[in-house]
Amino acid sequence: MSASTDSGQPASSSTRIMKQHLIDPEVCIRCNTCEETCPIDAITHDSNNYVVDATICNHCMACVPPCPTGAIDNWLNVLTGRPHTLEDQFSWEELPPVQEEPGMDGSVSVAVAAAGVLVEDSGLDGVPSTGAGSSIPPWSAAQPQVNLYTHKNPVTATVVGNYRVTDEDTESDIRHIVLDFGAVPFPVLEGQSIAIFPPGTDSSGRAFHARQYSIASPRDGERPRYNNLSLTVKRVMTDSEGNVVPGICSNYLCDLKKNDTVQVIGPFGSTFLMPNHPEANIIMICTGTGSAPMRAMTERCRRQLKEKAFNGKLMLFFGARTQRELPYFGPLMNLPADFIDINLALSREPGQPKRYVQDLIRERSADVVRLLDNENTSVYVCGLKGMEEGVLQALESATGSAGGQWAEVHAKLKAQGRLHVETY
Ligand code: A2P
């Protein structure tokens, strides 16, 4: 007897197939963005994989735009009632082959995987809603390259520099690491990231997953017209509860010597990209190593300024424990005040009150609002997860103190690709 639908009609082959939302374990860099973004907790993970629970996922698409690699954007046709279980997905090293459907005549037809499903509109001027930031880049951003190198074909880069950018006697060991790609093309834009495989295996013998790092240099290289890029990496020595647990990849990277080689995949990211028109203004808000993309954008603008291709304003809010623990403090202070408006929020500077970036945004609210009112202005937030809420509240109160409505301003910034948030 053939299957029938509720209407009593024989089931067509399409009614026996459903699309299951799955994460490609070969492309996923385990950055946790999808799990954080999912509004209904359909995404979870174990030490091996990030997975989607087919019994919860409603295909709302909220997780798709923020995923830096596109690993989340996989939709496999499976037989209705036979989705891949969480246990299946936890064990995968790669996506499974598509299920075969028995045909009416006993033959088998292969269901086709439908990757790259279009993002649905949220109703906000056609822009998907994905949390605080925008899911599209500013209109003048350059076209990024993504996923050129994947788990299956990583590229080898050579370390050409590893310098500490915080004072030697401080607890914060933050490194500026320069990687050279030789003759292998590795085109990047400011705001993009790469991921690096630490060598070795975990306790169950599996190779460590790649870890993601923002690029700290502009598109034409740490050294102009060289095929290299830089990263800003903090040596992690404790877990989130403060127990001594050295970070696997950060310690590997911070200990690298000149001429060592690393395995790299990427580049990733297609929204946290800077505007490129000469009148563009950029407000940058960061803490610690969240300064990496801000350094990349600032340096791009500085090089453009020399070529008279940048005429906008840069405003930076940068939080660190102390001045000596603020990465790149010296070079930052050498930048001319008429090029970049620098606001340092130091939280543990002896003899000074504790200040966070959001405190300084409030203090500078008139100037912040003047820039926000200008459609040439884009805002970038990068750093500790904890600052995100505080920064949004500070932007809200700044807007309110100038008589504006943050809800309207926020929606417009998001819809125009002018507010970008990357916190961890
Ligand atoms: P704190 O001294 O309170 O830890 P880190 O060095 O750990 O990467 O932190 C960088 C800076 O970010 C520090 O000054 C830290 O202050 C600050 N910070 C911590 N939590 C927040 C928050 N919720 N909002 C803004 N800044 C924060």
Side-chain angles (χ1 to χ4, degrees):
M1 195 180 129
S2 64
S4 67
T5 63
D6 289 346
S7 64
Q9 298 298 312
S12 69
S13 62
S14 63
T15 61
R16 282 182 274 159
I17 291 175
M18 61 172 249
K19 274 195 171 50
Q20 182 173 5
H21 186 195
L22 295 166
I23 298 173
D24 187 338
E26 285 186 293
V27 179
C28 173
I29 52 171
R30 282 82 179 164
C31 64
N32 205 51
T33 308
C34 54
E35 192 170 320
E36 277 173 27
T37 314
C38 179
I40 53 171
D41 294 333
I43 299 176
T44 180
H45 71 276
D46 70 356
S47 59
N48 193 37
N49 283 337
Y50 276 73
V51 298
V52 184
D53 190 334
T55 64
I56 303 177
C57 177
N58 61 6
H59 295 198
C60 74
M61 310 295 282
C63 59
V64 174
C67 171
T69 64
I72 193 84
D73 200 4
N74 280 282
W75 308 82
L76 230 59
N77 285 354
V78 295
L79 301 184
T80 301
R82 281 179 48 198
H84 298 287
T85 63
L86 293 184
E87 286 64 37
D88 290 344
Q89 296 177 54
F90 282 138
S91 70
W92 289 346
E93 301 295 327
E94 57 185 29
L95 283 176
V98 288
Q99 293 178 2
E100 292 181 332
E101 183 196 10
M104 298 293 188
D105 58 359
S107 65
V108 290
S109 64
V110 177
V112 182
V117 171
L118 285 176
V119 173
E120 287 167 353
D121 289 350
S122 68
L124 181 73
D125 288 350
V127 175
S129 176
T130 56
S134 181
S135 54
I136 49 171
W139 68 266
S140 61
Q143 187 65 37
Q145 303 271 351
V146 291
N147 291 333
L148 290 181
Y149 302 92
T150 64
H151 291 63
K152 278 200 176 136
N153 67 330
V155 60
T156 301
T158 305
V159 178
V160 291
N162 181 351
Y163 317 96
R164 185 164 167 146
V165 286
T166 46
D167 277 15
E168 284 294 336
D169 58 346
T170 61
E171 200 187 308
S172 306
D173 182 2
I174 302 182
R175 303 267 163 171
H176 180 71
I177 297 170
V178 187
L179 301 177
D180 191 278
F181 291 86
V184 181
F186 203 93
V188 299
L189 291 174
E190 306 77 15
Q192 285 195 294
S193 57
I194 63 170
I196 296 183
F197 287 101
T201 54
D202 63 18
S203 52
S204 50
R206 286 203 181 94
F208 286 125
H209 296 303
R211 311 299 210 272
Q212 194 188 359
Y213 296 93
S214 281
I215 296 165
S217 49
R219 64 190 76 181
D220 57 338
E222 170 67 21
R223 183 169 175 185
R225 290 172 294 283
Y226 274 67
N227 191 16
N228 61 16
L229 58 75
S230 61
L231 306 175
T232 312
V233 181
K234 182 175 184 177
R235 188 188 293 278
V236 175
M237 293 307 290
T238 53
D239 66 11
S240 53
E241 270 105 53
N243 306 310
V244 177
V245 183
I248 289 162
C249 200
S250 72
N251 279 276
Y252 162 65
L253 290 175
C254 289
D255 290 336
L256 285 170
K257 305 276 176 295
K258 211 171 163 187
N259 296 325
D260 284 346
T261 56
V262 292
Q263 296 300 104
V264 179
I265 57 175
F268 305 119
S270 52
T271 58
F272 196 106
L273 301 175
M274 65 184 287
N276 284 295
H277 57 295
E279 280 71 42
N281 307 310
I282 305 179
I283 299 178
M284 298 172 277
I285 304 162
C286 63
T287 58
T289 54
S291 56
M294 314 313 181
R295 179 183 184 272
M297 293 186 198
T298 303
E299 184 58 12
R300 170 71 182 171
C301 293
R302 198 183 66 83
R303 291 181 193 175
Q304 291 293 92
L305 189 69
K306 277 190 184 165
E307 294 173 14
K308 306 211 179 322
F310 173 72
N311 197 26
K313 291 191 168 49
L314 299 182
M315 190 173 200
L316 172 69
F317 295 92
F318 193 163
R321 298 175 186 189
T322 64
Q323 180 183 302
R324 292 156 64 245
E325 288 168 279
L326 189 133
Y328 307 109
F329 177 74
L332 188 58
M333 289 302 120
N334 284 335
L335 296 173
D338 60 354
F339 166 63
I340 180 167
D341 179 349
I342 299 171
N343 301 268
L344 302 184
L346 304 176
S347 57
R348 305 188 199 180
E349 193 68 59
Q352 285 187 21
K354 184 180 182 87
R355 297 171 96 199
Y356 280 170
V357 282
Q358 49 268 43
D359 301 322
L360 298 193
I361 293 171
R362 283 197 175 82
E363 282 175 26
R364 297 290 312 275
S365 62
D367 297 311
V368 169
V369 170
R370 201 169 305 125
L371 278 178
L372 285 182
D373 278 347
N374 183 336
E375 292 200 344
N376 286 317
T377 302
S378 298
V379 184
Y380 299 83
V381 183
C382 189
L384 295 176
K385 181 97 206 141
M387 76 159 164
E388 190 176 320
E389 198 185 335
V391 164
L392 291 171
Q393 283 168 356
L395 292 174
E396 177 169 9
S397 69
T399 310
S401 61
Q405 290 291 331
W406 171 242
E408 278 169 27
V409 175
H410 190 186
K412 187 171 173 188
L413 289 171
K414 282 176 72 174
Q416 294 181 338
R418 292 169 48 210
L419 173 61
H420 296 278
V421 182
E422 254 176 38
T423 54
Y424 39 82

